[in-house]
């Protein structure tokens, strides 16, 4: 499996590196990934540059561009089962979850096509005798870098927010989970996207990713991934003075108050931490429960956790599949010991699941002595819930904010003042009240603090992916100083 440049596979070079791509359910090699080196990255950026500087894409009538984006939506829907199968096989995500993500990917292309088709400028006529108008233009060639935890959902979101304005791009998905994204980029071309608008390069971050971000032909960088990588990418981008948008890690607080509908809070807290195999930036991984209800709530949470169906992600009944790759499974498992060293009590799980093959981890819950414990401060990124008890809302909000992250937060309460206070005082990009992780495409999504810079969403995407240009015209040519006259 290789890159896709100008809509086609590049010529196979001798001496390249092939990375094995493994199925996390069976641990078997599915295919080999030919890593794009600096020369191949250069070919991809050159293609995107050509498509932007002299290709039709940025200059197409918006209705033509919109028709192509709608055709992409339709073709993704037509290939939903195939894309979902690839995602389950390559990333281990449960089928039902992935089918939803494929539908959302299709919807994203439709939605941002609509936004682009209603984009308009401003006119200023207040200054007598002058007309000034402001137009928006696409910004150029974007490097888009995506992670492995929801490969299709996150790569498609990056592309769908980038190309409708007329930009072109080079996409680099994670080297761990390239399957579904490779097929997605083929589908974009089958739907009529001109060659060069979306190029795909595959390979490790340190090789292919670094070459892409450093390439002089790149005008902007959109990155979704870990905070440490985001920092490295921003440093590289700063050397070339190109803008970056960063969607990074999280350690979101999930506050369960005694005033909550506890049935819904229980369901929502389980979804908040265990959906997507626990591998999600917006997971409600720090569960703060009010002491008056803590014992019963935690007991019920543990009982439900022990009944979660862990297994083959292609089985429709499966709720949690394997973690995406072996190294990640080992990292998640290591947190059982970390928790215990910090004085946390293991409530359930904490081991590799008793399944013959595959990188399965038992859904895990621990009760930490305080929010200072490492399991409260570090992103574990697996099916690993950490409980801490609290007495007052002041304490819960203080703990929620005592984190280097600020991506999302959850509050469960039927008391309006409590909900509104959490909304006002929690330093996070999203506050979900009495619901887990509803994504509204129209609203901005992104993080405070080390959870990111910039937002996804229509307004933020217009800001990031377009340039503003002011054109100034005198209506009654005013007198002008005549040098040397
Ligand atoms: P990662 O940072 O290890 O890798 C992300 C991508 O960056 C991969 O494609 C990788 O190859 C590439 N990369 C790595 N080093 C690079 C470099 N020096 N230059 C260029 N590219 C490089 O992240 P991950 O482990 O794949 O993903 C998990 C992380 O992503 C978690 O921290 C999670 O919270 C975060 N995430 C955030 C959001 C969000 O919207 N905020 C969404 C999903 C995941």
């Amino acid at each position: 499996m290789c890159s896709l440049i100008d809509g086609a596979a590049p010529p196979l070079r001798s001496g390249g590196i092939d990375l094995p791509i493994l199925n996390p359910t069976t641990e078997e090699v599915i295919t080999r990934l030919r890593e794009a080196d600096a020369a191949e990255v250069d070919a991809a950026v050159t293609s995107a540059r050509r498509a932007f500087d002299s290709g039709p894409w940025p200059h197409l009538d918006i209705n033509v561009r919109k028709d192509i984006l709608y055709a992409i939506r339709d073709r993704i829907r037509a290939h939903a089962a195939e894309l979902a199968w690839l995602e389950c096989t390559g990333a281990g995500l449960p089928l039902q979850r992935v089918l939803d993500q494929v539908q959302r990917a299709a919807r994203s292309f439709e939605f941002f096509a609509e936004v682009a088709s209603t984009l308009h400028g401003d006119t200023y006529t207040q200054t007598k005798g002058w007309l000034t108008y402001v137009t928006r233009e696409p910004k150029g060639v974007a490097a888009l870098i995506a992670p492995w935890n929801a490969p299709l959902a996150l790569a498609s979101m990056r592309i769908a927010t980038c190309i409708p304005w007329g930009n072109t791009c080079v996409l680099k998905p994670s080297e761990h989970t390239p399957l579904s994204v490779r097929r997605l980029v083929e589908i974009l071309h089958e739907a009529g996207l001109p060659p060069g608008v979306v190029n795909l390069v595959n390979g490790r971050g340190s090789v292919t990713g670094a070459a892409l971000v450093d390439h002089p032909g790149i005008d902007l960088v959109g990155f979704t991934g870990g905070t440490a990588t985001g920092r490295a990418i921003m440093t590289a981008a700063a050397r070339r003075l190109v803008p970056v948008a960063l969607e990074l890690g999280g350690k979101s607080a999930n506050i369960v108050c005694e005033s909550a509908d506890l049935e819904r809070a229980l369901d929502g807290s389980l979804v908040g931490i265990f959906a997507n195999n626990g591998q999600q930036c917006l997971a409600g991984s720090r569960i703060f429960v009010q002491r008056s209800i803590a014992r019963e709530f935690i007991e019920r949470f543990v009982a439900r956790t022990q009944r979660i169906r862990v297994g083959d992600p292609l089985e429709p009944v499966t709720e949690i599949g394997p973690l995406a790759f072996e190294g990640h499974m080992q990292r998640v498992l290591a947190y059982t010991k970390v928790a215990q060293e910090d004085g946390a009590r293991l409530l359930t799980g904490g081991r590799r699941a008793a399944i013959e093959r595959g990188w399965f981890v038992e859904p895990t819950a621990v009760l930490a002595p305080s929010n200072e414990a490492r399991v409260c401060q570090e992103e574990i990124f697996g099916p690993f819930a950490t409980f801490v008890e609290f007495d007052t809302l002041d304490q819960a909000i203080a703990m929620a904010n005592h984190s280097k992250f600020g991506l999302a937060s959850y509050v469960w309460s039927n008391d309006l003042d409590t909900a509104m206070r959490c909304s006002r005082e929690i330093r996070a990009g999203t506050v979900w009240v009495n619901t887990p992780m509803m994504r509204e495409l129209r609203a901005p999504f992104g993080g405070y603090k080390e959870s990111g810079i910039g937002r996804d969403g229509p307004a933020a995407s217009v800001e990031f992916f377009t340039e503003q240009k002011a054109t100034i015209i005198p209506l009654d040519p005013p007198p002008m100083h005549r040098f040397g006259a």
Side-chain angles (χ1 to χ4, degrees):
M1 207 173 108
C2 60
S3 306
L4 264 180
I5 298 173
D6 245 0
L12 199 61
R13 293 154 295 113
S14 58
I17 291 177
D18 287 329
L19 307 167
I21 300 303
L22 301 164
N23 179 335
T25 309
T26 62
E27 303 182 29
E28 287 163 358
V29 176
I30 308 169
T31 182
R32 293 192 172 272
L33 188 70
R34 173 51 64 103
E35 181 164 70
D37 59 9
E40 200 164 295
V41 169
D42 180 56
V45 177
T46 302
S47 162
R49 248 322 0 130
R50 197 166 44 238
F52 184 76
D53 295 334
S54 48
W57 186 249
H59 311 291
L60 285 180
D61 184 290
I62 186 61
N63 287 321
V64 177
R65 216 187 288 147
K66 199 167 137 186
D67 283 347
I68 295 173
L69 294 166
Y70 275 26
I72 289 173
R73 173 201 62 192
D74 295 342
R75 198 153 180 96
I76 291 175
R77 285 183 181 152
H79 288 264
E82 180 192 5
L83 286 166
W85 184 85
L86 287 168
E87 194 77 320
C88 291
T89 307
L93 300 178
L95 184 62
Q96 196 49 52
R97 171 93 183 163
V98 168
L99 284 167
D100 292 347
Q101 290 176 347
V102 174
Q103 294 307 327
R104 212 184 72 195
R107 181 73 70 200
S108 297
F109 282 96
E110 173 193 82
F111 177 76
F112 285 99
E114 284 293 335
V115 177
S117 76
T118 56
L119 188 65
H120 57 87
D122 300 308
T123 315
Y124 300 95
T125 54
Q126 292 91 332
T127 303
K128 193 171 160 42
W130 295 87
L131 166 67
T132 299
Y133 61 87
V134 180
T135 45
R136 290 210 177 247
E137 297 177 352
K139 214 169 237 172
V141 176
L144 305 179
I145 300 178
W148 47 260
N149 60 306
L152 195 69
L154 296 168
S156 60
M157 176 60 93
R158 280 274 170 233
I159 301 169
T161 56
C162 169
I163 61 172
W165 330 104
N167 296 301
T168 64
C169 65
V170 179
L171 169 72
K172 194 203 87 64
S174 169
E175 62 274 27
H176 297 292
T177 53
L179 292 187
S180 57
V181 178
R182 173 63 151 72
R183 184 68 190 112
L184 172 72
V185 177
E186 285 173 1
I187 285 173
L188 303 182
H189 290 96
E190 290 163 9
L193 191 72
V197 176
V198 175
N199 299 276
L200 174 78
V201 289
N202 276 308
R204 287 165 293 176
S206 55
V207 178
T208 313
L212 180 59
V213 174
D214 278 337
H215 196 289
I218 292 295
D219 297 314
L220 68 167
V221 182
F223 172 75
T224 308
T227 294
T229 315
R231 199 171 267 124
I233 284 177
M234 193 164 175
T235 305
R239 281 197 290 273
R240 296 196 37 253
L241 218 60
V242 298
V244 291
L246 305 174
E247 299 279 355
L248 306 177
K251 190 77 190 178
S252 298
N254 178 15
I255 300 175
V256 183
C257 301
E258 60 190 8
S259 52
D261 172 339
L262 292 181
E263 216 47 54
R264 279 189 64 79
L266 181 61
D267 289 345
S269 300
L270 287 157
V271 172
I273 183 60
F274 293 129
N276 217 58
N277 298 348
Q279 300 167 148
Q280 46 187 354
C281 53
L282 41 72
S285 47
R286 289 186 294 156
I287 309 179
F288 301 140
V289 195
Q290 200 147 21
R291 208 174 303 277
S292 53
I293 53 158
R295 190 162 162 202
E296 189 195 338
F297 187 86
I298 293 173
E299 269 175 20
R300 293 183 66 198
F301 184 99
V302 168
R304 289 274 294 277
T305 300
Q306 288 167 344
R307 290 202 297 273
I308 291 174
R309 293 178 294 273
V310 179
D312 183 345
L314 284 165
E315 289 294 332
V317 293
T318 293
E319 295 176 292
I320 294 188
L323 299 196
F325 55 99
E326 187 178 6
H328 183 56
M329 176 193 71
Q330 299 297 1
R331 183 179 172 277
V332 171
L333 288 171
Y335 273 98
T336 302
K337 191 152 171 265
V338 168
Q340 287 166 331
E341 281 167 2
D342 274 2
R345 183 153 60 87
L346 182 64
L347 302 168
T348 189
R351 291 170 308 187
R352 196 167 175 174
I355 296 175
E356 201 183 330
R357 283 183 306 173
W359 299 311
F360 295 94
V361 170
E362 291 175 341
T364 301
V366 302
L367 178 63
S370 82
N371 185 49
E372 304 296 324
R374 277 179 65 193
V375 285
C376 283
Q377 294 297 322
E378 296 174 16
E379 187 182 40
I380 300 173
F381 217 57
F384 196 113
T386 302
F387 282 94
V388 179
E389 296 180 9
F390 71 90
D391 292 302
T392 65
L393 192 60
D394 283 348
Q395 287 171 349
I397 292 174
M399 288 196 293
N401 288 337
H402 181 65
S403 169
K404 63 183 178 183
F405 297 111
L407 188 58
S409 60
Y410 306 71
V411 55
W412 298 90
S413 171
N414 282 342
D415 176 56
L416 186 61
D417 288 344
T418 299
M420 297 298 284
R421 216 187 125 196
C422 287
S423 160
R424 277 196 310 275
E425 296 184 18
I426 292 178
R427 307 268 306 150
T430 301
V431 179
W432 278 296
V433 178
N434 296 334
T435 181
M437 55 187 75
M438 185 277 178
R439 269 298 287 278
E440 169 56 83
L441 272 182
R442 291 156 196 84
F445 177 80
Y448 283 35
K449 300 191 263 183
E450 292 190 19
S451 287
I453 293 179
R455 296 287 183 271
D456 273 340
S461 298
V462 170
E463 278 312 314
F464 184 65
F465 284 110
T466 68
E467 292 279 14
Q468 281 188 303
K469 178 181 281 175
T471 302
I472 303 169
I473 304 174
L475 297 176
D476 309 314
M480 207 184 308
H481 176 74
R482 300 177 66 210
F483 276 99

